[in-house]
Amino acid sequence: MTASRTRSRAENSGGLSRRDLLRAALVGAGGVALGGTLAGCATPDAAGSGRTAVMIWDLFSGGDGALMQEMVGVVASANPDIALDSTTLAWGPPYYTKLAMASSGGRPPEAAVMHMSRLAGYAPGGLLEPFDLDALADLGVGEEHFAPAVWEKAQFDGQLYALPLDTHPYIAFHNPTLIQEAGLATPDGKLDLDAVAGADNFLASGRALAEVTGETGVGWGYQRDPAGCWRMFWGLYSQNGGGYELTPGRPAALDEEAAAEVFEFLQAMVDGTVAAKNQDGNAASARFMAERTGIMFAGEWDLPMFRDALPDVGATQFPAIFDTPANYADSHAFVLPRQAQADPAAREATYRVLAGLLKEGLTWASAGHIPAYQPIVEQPAYQELTPQRDYAPAAEVAVFDPDAWFTGGGSDFQTRMADAMTDTLAGKAPPRTAVTRMLSEMDRFLALPNPA
């Protein structure tokens, strides 16, 4: 995808070399080298048991971590010939640094979880190995089982480098009682996406909700939340037909008119009536759970928290504020870190484990995630899950971070983009200022050497 209106301005060794260390630190930190040591990567010793050892790294804590361990237990029981070890590491840049260093050193786990938004920083540099489509097909896993947008994002250079576990979009939660009082509900009590489609209609709907709550209509916390800022902007920018060009050695390019229109809308939204001014994510969530706003923009992973406070909480895919259907999302996916010496038995066992975990997607969906393996979504049991079934269509119009080695979940790129938006979102600068600052920050990343 290229910009429609652009601005004009002028080694695979088994050991861990100094270059490998630098590359791992840069890729893992999204351009910022971090301290820390490489965790041990050896798989459990299964020689004495006659079982094949498979180790998987993940970054799931809390409720997600418990669900993943439940799924791992089911798959382990179904494959008694495999010694399965699931290791959880802390989420964030350190996780990606350790994964990159392990792959560079040739002693990684058999598989690992990665946000697909980080794939462009790993696949090009040889840190990952592609999946064998025939081996996956033998296990009932193929392209036809995934939403096209998700499957496409899992590719690099014509090969599959990520096996998507889920799609986790940025969506619109709603309070059924409040939207009903504001006249924004469908006959079955869901948020009427037609009523809130278009910038003018959405803002009018926010004001109608504010009259019902006596405070504000919409919850969105953008202060001190770089990821939330970026998700909101990139989703709306994609809806507005915006393209991009992030090519090393050339100036960054965005559709500046489309980007400015997004910021014009966001400034109109955070006017103190539609949505609160100068609000962070915790405050926005608290207001929504206290029924002081009727609609809340957040990731679907917040469903358990919201449902504890509002048992009948509803949710839909992101409203169509602009013309093109699009919903910002990311995906947790399994990847195959590069092995110094591939073990065919371990690889075959790894494929069985990963296919098994995909097919336990109904368990994973209970936390709010949309299973990437579509046969799960089509099951009657999934269709009974509310509000999960109501926002599942977001996977069909998912848009991911731009493809560049420095972008993606937990990256410094998102922090820099949010910093560039701060004054504009606070009403201290015009929309064009945010666009100019974002382009400048993109240029800084493009000037850095690609560690791959």
Side-chain angles (χ1 to χ4, degrees), residues 129-142:
E129 299 178 12
F131 281 90
D132 183 329
L133 296 183
D134 291 335
L136 288 175
D138 289 342
L139 296 166
V141 178

Side-chain angles (χ1 to χ4, degrees), residues 325-395:
N327 200 127
Y328 178 89
D330 206 338
S331 287
H332 295 114
F334 296 110
V335 295
L336 302 174
R338 187 188 70 190
Q339 304 287 332
Q341 295 182 335
D343 180 343
R347 182 52 53 85
E348 186 274 338
T350 300
Y351 275 53
R352 277 194 282 144
V353 166
L354 299 186
L357 290 173
L358 290 189
K359 294 174 183 180
E360 290 299 312
L362 191 62
T363 297
W364 196 237
S366 65
H369 309 306
I370 304 171
Y373 189 64
Q374 290 296 289
I376 302 297
V377 176
E378 296 163 2
Q379 291 181 5
Y382 182 86
Q383 291 302 316
E384 293 176 0
L385 294 177
T386 54
Q388 288 94 319
R389 69 184 183 194
D390 298 322
Y391 60 77

Side-chain angles (χ1 to χ4, degrees), residues 16-273:
L16 195 60
S17 69
R18 182 175 181 275
R19 182 176 182 274
D20 285 333
L21 281 166
L22 176 60
R23 178 176 70 179
L26 282 170
V27 173
V32 178
L34 298 177
T37 57
L38 176 61
C41 308
T43 54
D45 183 4
S49 67
R51 297 188 296 165
T52 302
V54 172
M55 177 181 279
I56 300 176
W57 282 3
D58 69 55
L59 37 65
F60 302 121
S61 60
D64 281 354
L67 290 176
M68 178 54 63
Q69 290 309 307
E70 180 181 340
M71 294 159 62
V72 166
V74 171
V75 173
S77 296
N79 295 275
D81 60 321
I82 299 175
L84 179 56
D85 183 11
S86 177
T87 299
T88 299
L89 302 176
W91 143 248
Y95 175 83
Y96 288 108
T97 299
K98 290 176 182 179
L99 180 58
M101 293 175 72
S103 296
S104 293
R107 288 174 55 82
E110 277 68 38
V113 171
M114 173 180 286
H115 287 84
M116 285 211 302
S117 59
R118 301 298 294 261
L119 190 63
Y122 285 74
L127 296 173
L128 304 176
E129 299 178 12
F131 281 90
D132 183 329
L133 296 183
D134 291 335
L136 288 175
D138 289 342
L139 296 166
V141 178
E143 178 179 357
E144 68 274 17
H145 298 127
F146 298 85
V150 176
W151 184 262
E152 181 181 353
K153 184 64 177 180
Q155 311 284 319
F156 170 72
D157 200 21
Q159 294 183 289
L160 184 74
Y161 274 85
L163 190 60
L165 171 63
D166 64 35
T167 306
H168 46 277
Y170 198 62
I171 60 175
F173 290 93
H174 61 264
N175 183 311
T177 301
L178 297 179
I179 64 166
Q180 185 77 44
E181 292 181 27
L184 302 174
T186 59
D188 61 355
K190 309 298 183 183
L191 178 64
D192 187 345
L193 289 174
D194 290 334
V196 296
D200 291 340
N201 284 342
F202 184 85
L203 295 173
S205 298
R207 287 189 284 270
L209 274 169
E211 290 183 9
V212 172
T213 66
E215 295 193 25
T216 55
V218 177
W220 180 48
Y222 59 91
Q223 285 196 335
R224 295 180 292 278
D225 186 358
C229 286
W230 174 251
R231 291 167 185 144
M232 177 66 81
F233 168 77
W234 196 246
L236 291 174
Y237 179 68
S238 299
Q239 286 191 359
N240 206 19
Y244 72 90
E245 183 177 345
L246 295 177
T247 303
R250 300 180 59 180
L254 293 174
D255 181 334
E256 295 188 55
E257 190 66 30
E261 288 173 358
V262 169
F263 285 115
E264 288 171 3
F265 166 75
L266 291 176
Q267 282 187 330
M269 186 176 77
V270 292
D271 64 350
T273 299

Side-chain angles (χ1 to χ4, degrees), residues 149 234-241 317-328 393-399:
W234 196 246
L236 291 174
Y237 179 68
S238 299
Q239 286 191 359
N240 206 19
Q317 68 188 76
F318 205 97
I321 306 299
F322 295 101
D323 294 334
T324 304
N327 200 127
Y328 178 89
E396 301 294 334
V397 291
V399 292

